[in-house]
Each structure stands twice: as structure tokens, then as C-alpha cells.
Amino acid sequence: MRSHDRKQVIVLPSLRRVSSKMQQLILLVLLASFWTTCTKAGDWCYQSQFACDHQCNEPANWNHAHSDCEGRYQSPINVVTRKTLKDERLTPFQFSNYQQIFKSTIKNNGHSVQVGVPNLSIISDGGLPGGYKAVQFHLHWGNNGGPGSEHTIDGEQYPMELHIVHMKQHYTDLTTALSDPEGVAVLGFFYERSTSANRKYEPIIKALQNIKAANGNTSLNSISLAQLIPPEKNLTTYYRYKGSLTTPGCTEAVIWTLFENPIPLSMEQLRAFSELKFPNGKQMVGTFRPVQPLNGRQVSRSGGAVILLSSALLVAAIATAFGLPQVN
């Protein structure tokens, strides 16, 4: 009986080792099968949209659908404020006809909310090589008011980001403008959570109820670009770099301007965007591309932009200034 017991002790661990190896082999086969099934993608999508029943190229694989998405000067990026360089050429912008009221159509294009803008609104100065006329604006957001901006500042991701897309004045269409390395200028604005609703955004928030389904569109009456952004006097502090479109084809023809002052929206207003749907019926959330490598690019700041210090650096700076002992 004791001999039989010893035999079991010797054999069972061996069986367990075989079982473990078999489990690993089965797991690898299953993963390979999953990978084969889920990556026969055609079009691009966001990470939140990817599923086996919706085969698409998630952000890490956008280059499979559009080769430019693996370029060296891609957007968005993380702006490290202490590494930015002050550029005296980054003067205040001139905003022409931004106050003008216009009518347009707001659309759920399957990836975002987009509104066409008449080419009457023009930006100039601000270090730009000329005048640029507005073409459209769209937004990127997270999940029910959570982190969702595309660009980040010192690693901080805001709940949402607005992009107002402009092209050089002499171009007649965006496709042609994108063939020019400086053909497009995008103004980026961040949003922050507020305890009260932003009444200026009510036309857009109400319109979202009518475009929940992909490719849905509805009229947007009596709106101006000026009502969507901070007052002009608060738009002198910004960051500048050269990059790309943040959606495929990822064309590297964009002069980016990221404004420091955020736009307030209530949590309810922010959550309204997450009620939209992707074409596959999934909740439209997480509509942002992860930040991309700088690859040697220099990010500049206007004269009024503030370099943000971490609390630790701030304490150290104060201690040094007053000759106080520093706590390690």
C-alpha cells in the first residue's frame, strides 16, 4: 500500500506537467485563431470600436489601411511644457468673421460629430504663413465625460477636444490643401468639467439627440465659431507644432495650434456625446488616437503660455530661492 502511494506521488506531478504544457499549447492555438479571425480588417476604427464582429484596423494598425499613419511627424502628441521654446513670432491671432452667425448641418460621420463651416471665417497672424479659411469643426471625446482629448498637456488628458480645421485661402478643397506641407491649420481647444451648463453649446447638445445613429444628420441653425471658443482676449496663450491629421489618412500637412485656456461644459453636456453610436451600433466613446512620438520635433509656445511645474519642482524652486533646506 505504501509502495502504491509512492508511485502515485511520482506519476501525478508528471501528469500535471503534461497537462500544463497541453493547456499552454491549446491557449496558443486559441490566441492564434482569435488573431487570425479578428485582424482581417479593412477600414480603420478606434480601440473602443474594435470587436470580432466588426473587423477593422484599430489605431496601432492604422498603417495597414493608410501607410502615412506610420510617418515620423504624426499627431496627436503630449506637450511637455518645460521642453517648449518661447517663439516671439507666435503673436495673437486675427479672427475674421468668427462672430458671423451661419446655418449648417451637423452629422454623425461614424467616427465623430462634424459640422461644415462656410469659408467666410478666416484666421491670420499667430505665426501662420498667411490666411487660412475655416472648413469644418469636429470633436473627440472619452466615455461619459471621462478622459478623451487627443492631445495631452504634461500627460493630462482632458474630457474632450475641439478641432476647427482651416485651409490656405487660395485652395478650393481640403484634399488639394493636404498636398501642401503647410496647407492646413487646425486650432485645438480642450474642454473641462464645469458645475454649470454652457448655454452657448445648447444648439449642439440638442442636435445630438437627432444624430445618434451613424450617418445621421440634422440642421444646425444660428451658430458662430466665436460662441464655441473662449473670448479672443483669452486666446493669446497657445502651443505650436507641425504634425498630421489625427485620423487616416494621417497626412502630415497640418500646422497645429493648441490653446491653453479650456472651454467649460457640464458633466451632462459632456455625457451627451457618448450617447451617439458607431456604425456597428456600439456606443461612440473613446474617439481619440493615442499620442504619437515627437521624433525630434520642437514644440513652441507663445509669449503668454505658462510652463507648468510639478508640485515637487515648485517646492524645490521655492526652497532654492529662499535658501531653505530641501526635503528628500
Side-chain angles (χ1 to χ4, degrees), residues 10 41 45 60 68 75 77 123 129 134 195 220 223 255 278 280 298:
I10 295 170
C45 65
D68 286 351
S75 298
I77 62 166
I123 56 171
T195 55
L220 190 62
I223 193 169
I255 299 174
F278 285 123
N280 64 346
Q298 178 62 57

Side-chain angles (χ1 to χ4, degrees), residues 79-151:
V79 176
V80 181
T81 57
R82 63 183 176 82
K83 292 184 178 181
T84 60
L85 287 181
K86 184 177 179 179
D87 189 340
E88 297 295 345
R89 294 170 298 179
L90 302 183
T91 56
F93 280 86
Q94 294 296 318
F95 296 90
S96 301
N97 294 322
Y98 255 58
Q99 297 280 358
Q100 183 165 327
I101 302 294
F102 63 89
K103 295 182 180 180
S104 188
T105 299
I106 183 169
K107 182 178 181 179
N108 172 348
N109 64 12
H111 301 292
S112 178
V113 169
Q114 183 169 309
V115 177
V117 178
N119 295 155
L120 300 172
S121 299
I122 297 170
I123 56 171
S124 57
D125 292 344
L128 296 177
Y132 287 73
K133 56 189 178 184
V135 180
Q136 51 100 333
F137 69 83
H138 61 270
L139 301 107
H140 300 268
W141 59 88
N143 188 345
N144 289 311
S149 67
E150 294 211 295
H151 291 87

Side-chain angles (χ1 to χ4, degrees), residues 262-274:
I263 301 165
L265 286 184
S266 68
M267 181 59 82
E268 185 179 357
Q269 288 178 313
L270 290 169
R271 285 174 174 165
F273 289 87
S274 294

Side-chain angles (χ1 to χ4, degrees), residues 309-327:
L309 293 175
S310 69
S311 57
L313 287 173
L314 186 58
V315 169
I318 293 172
T320 301
F322 289 93
L324 301 174
Q326 295 186 25
V327 180

Side-chain angles (χ1 to χ4, degrees), residues 171-186:
Y171 290 123
T172 56
D173 64 273
L174 194 56
T175 301
T176 305
L178 286 168
S179 65
D180 178 342
E182 294 185 331
V184 176
V186 180

Side-chain angles (χ1 to χ4, degrees), residues 282-300:
K282 290 187 71 175
Q283 187 181 8
M284 186 180 282
V285 296
T287 60
F288 58 89
R289 185 188 194 188
V291 293
Q292 303 296 301
L294 266 179
N295 289 326
R297 283 175 287 176
Q298 178 62 57
V299 180
S300 303

Side-chain angles (χ1 to χ4, degrees), residues 129-256:
Y132 287 73
K133 56 189 178 184
V135 180
Q136 51 100 333
F137 69 83
H138 61 270
L139 301 107
H140 300 268
W141 59 88
N143 188 345
N144 289 311
S149 67
E150 294 211 295
H151 291 87
T152 56
I153 305 295
D154 291 323
E156 180 181 356
Q157 187 177 22
Y158 291 81
M160 194 159 71
E161 185 172 334
L162 167 67
H163 292 163
I164 306 180
V165 182
H166 304 72
M167 63 183 178
K168 281 184 177 177
Q169 281 185 277
H170 65 272
Y171 290 123
T172 56
D173 64 273
L174 194 56
T175 301
T176 305
L178 286 168
S179 65
D180 178 342
E182 294 185 331
V184 176
V186 180
L187 304 185
F189 298 85
F190 299 111
Y191 292 82
E192 64 180 356
R193 285 184 286 275
S194 171
T195 55
S196 57
N198 186 336
R199 292 182 180 179
K200 294 179 179 180
Y201 268 76
E202 280 311 301
I204 290 178
I205 301 301
K206 289 180 180 178
L208 295 179
Q209 302 302 313
N210 299 322
I211 58 170
K212 289 185 177 182
N215 299 314
N217 65 81
T218 189
S219 59
L220 190 62
N221 297 323
S222 302
I223 193 169
S224 72
L225 292 177
Q227 77 184 68
L228 301 177
I229 63 178
E232 191 171 334
K233 64 180 181 180
N234 295 336
L235 297 178
T236 59
T237 57
Y238 58 86
Y239 302 98
R240 165 68 49 76
Y241 80 99
K242 290 186 178 180
S244 72
L245 299 178
T246 63
T247 57
C250 305
T251 313
E252 294 176 349
V254 181
I255 299 174
W256 276 98

